[in-house]
Each structure stands twice: as C-alpha cells, then as structure tokens.
Amino acid sequence: MKSIKMLSAFLMLSSTLFAQSIKFPSVDSAEDPTTVITAIETNSNATIVSFKHTSPVKGNWVQLNKSMYLQDANGEERYNYIKSEGIPLRPERFVSKEDNQEVIFKVYFEKLKPGTKSINIIERARSMSELNNGINFLNYFKVDLLKSKSETSHETRATQVIIAPPPPLENGTSTAMGFENMANLAPMMNNMYGSMLQAQLNTLSKPAVINQMAKVTKNYYDALIKAGFSVDAALKIVISKPLVSINDGVRN
C-alpha cells in the first residue's frame, strides 16, 4: 500500500512539472492581425491555445480548419489538432453582426514535449487566389513559450532611470510653466493619434485600397519566385516581411 501511495504521488508531481502556461506570448510574426493569442497552456493531456478575434467591420467572417497543427520552431516535431471550442469549423463560418465584435475561442492540440521553448502555429498555407482575395489564416511563427509581451513591458519599467536636475535658467524664468504646457500637450497628442488611426482604418475599409494592397503583395510574391526563391520560401517572406503593412504603411 505504501508503494502505491508513493507511485501516485510521483505521478502527480510529474504531471505538475510538465504543466506549462503563458499569457500573451511573444510572437515573431503573424499572418492575421485581427486574431491574437491570449494564452497557451500545456496540461497532462493536451496543449490548449486561446485566441481572441476582433472583427473590424460588420459582415466579416471567421472559421477554423481542422488541419491546424503546432510545430516545434526549433525542430521537426508536429502536434495535431484535437478539438476546438467557440469557433465554427470549415465550411461553417461565424459572421460578425456588428463592428469590432469579438470571438473568444480555444484550440486543443496534442501535448507538447517537455522543454519545448518556441512553436509555430499553422492553420494552413494560402493559395494565390486566397492571397489575392485578402484571406488570412491563423499562422503564427516563433511563438515564445517562455516570454510574454507583459514580461517585456515589465522589464522596461524595471529599468533604473536617474534624472539630473535641470540647469538654472537666466532672468529668473520658472520651469513650472514649461512643465505645465508639456502636460497640456498629452490630450492633444492623444486626439491626433486617434484621428490618424481612424483615418487609416477608413482608408483600409475601402475595397479599392484592399485590392491594390493585394496586387502589390501578389507582385512581390511573383518577383520572389522569379528571383529563384521556392514557393514555401517566398510565402514565408511575404508573410513575415510584407511590403504593405497595416501598421507601418509601405516599408522602406
């Protein structure tokens, strides 16, 4: 009886040691800007990836392919799809009924091996017609299982900063008015940024602009193929280093 209890305790301890979880993991590159990874958890049975999709405009749709899998970013191990919750499987679709509607869902995969540090999450590769039509899949590359975005912010805040006193001003000028004016600039800068972002979203919502972006991306892909890159290599370059980016505009 004592041996059985010790074995049970060992199995419970092993299960705990192999458990792994992280919130908002750092991602090197992603294909779909409207869907973010909120958490990744590995328990004794499976690896669970949680997502949040935000549909920018009413009528946009989202679905999931059962061919989705995980891959060790530093090796060849592959972990297949088991099940999903909160999102329809292809050919069914979730169609948003309002702007900025959110969809929270989870996807279960075969359990990652202990010690896995970084993974790729691959739903499927895009065809040229899908690329031209602006269809994205849930493809994420070099997802860090040890470092989250929040940890990066925490490290920045923890940096020690030493502020030296300002030099004395001539003619008795006070610095209080200068600091007050700087503080008053904050609301104006916020409004300016909000206006710029809204203008960008309005531009990107126009079909003609999206079609032009798609054509530029296709020409980029065709040029890579013509230059001697393989289909897979060209696709990865287009995904990871697009000429046209929603965040950056046209890259230099």
Side-chain angles (χ1 to χ4, degrees):
M1 181 64 69
K2 184 176 181 180
S3 299
I4 295 177
K5 290 182 178 180
M6 291 180 63
L7 178 59
S8 299
F10 174 75
L11 292 176
M12 291 179 63
L13 177 61
S14 299
S15 175
T16 303
L17 290 175
F18 292 159
Q20 184 180 24
S21 64
I22 185 171
K23 293 184 178 180
F24 296 99
S26 175
V27 179
D28 184 71
S29 61
E31 183 176 305
D32 183 4
T34 64
T35 307
V36 298
I37 303 171
T38 59
I40 300 178
E41 176 188 0
T42 297
N43 57 30
S44 59
N45 299 316
T47 293
I48 308 163
V49 184
S50 299
F51 297 90
K52 181 177 76 171
H53 169 80
T54 303
S55 179
V57 294
K58 178 182 177 181
N60 277 22
W61 56 268
V62 63
Q63 62 182 190
L64 190 72
N65 289 272
K66 292 177 65 176
S67 58
M68 194 173 188
Y69 64 92
L70 306 180
Q71 180 186 40
D72 189 333
N74 301 310
E76 300 297 329
E77 290 81 6
R78 174 170 168 161
Y79 307 88
N80 294 322
Y81 168 95
I82 298 177
K83 66 175 184 177
S84 53
E85 298 174 351
I87 185 172
L89 293 175
R90 190 181 182 190
E92 301 297 326
R93 296 178 176 180
F94 171 85
V95 181
S96 62
K97 299 179 181 179
E98 58 186 19
D99 294 350
N100 299 317
Q101 185 170 0
E102 294 183 352
V103 180
I104 308 297
F105 62 98
K106 294 183 177 182
V107 185
Y108 293 71
F109 300 92
E110 295 173 332
K111 179 183 175 182
L112 293 174
K113 289 183 178 179
T116 304
K117 298 180 180 179
S118 178
I119 59 173
N120 299 325
I121 302 176
I122 307 297
E123 184 181 10
R124 57 171 289 185
R126 283 189 295 181
S127 65
M128 287 305 302
S129 62
E130 290 168 333
L131 182 65
N132 292 337
N133 291 328
I135 297 176
N136 295 323
F137 293 103
L138 303 181
N139 296 332
Y140 304 83
F141 302 93
K142 292 187 178 180
V143 181
D144 199 324
L145 301 180
L146 303 177
K147 187 175 184 179
S148 66
K149 297 177 183 178
S150 59
E151 288 176 357
T152 303
S153 301
H154 175 74
E155 289 172 2
T156 303
R157 290 195 299 268
T159 302
Q160 184 179 7
V161 178
I162 301 175
I163 302 177
L169 300 177
E170 297 180 357
N171 301 326
T173 304
S174 173
T175 61
M177 183 62 70
F179 286 123
E180 182 179 352
N181 290 337
M182 291 177 63
N184 291 335
L185 286 176
M188 183 180 69
M189 295 299 295
N190 288 336
N191 292 336
M192 183 184 300
Y193 177 77
S195 299
M196 292 173 60
L197 181 60
Q198 186 60 53
Q200 188 178 32
L201 291 174
N202 291 339
T203 301
L204 292 173
S205 65
K206 298 178 181 179
V209 174
I210 296 298
N211 290 337
Q212 186 176 9
M213 291 173 64
K215 290 179 181 179
V216 171
T217 302
K218 183 179 183 300
N219 292 338
Y220 182 28
Y221 175 86
D222 292 341
L224 291 170
I225 295 295
K226 188 175 181 180
F229 289 91
S230 67
V231 172
D232 289 341
L235 185 59
K236 288 182 179 179
I237 293 173
V238 170
I239 292 173
S240 62
K241 297 181 179 180
L243 288 177
V244 180
S245 170
I246 293 178
N247 294 326
D248 304 326
V250 179
R251 295 178 181 270
N252 295 322

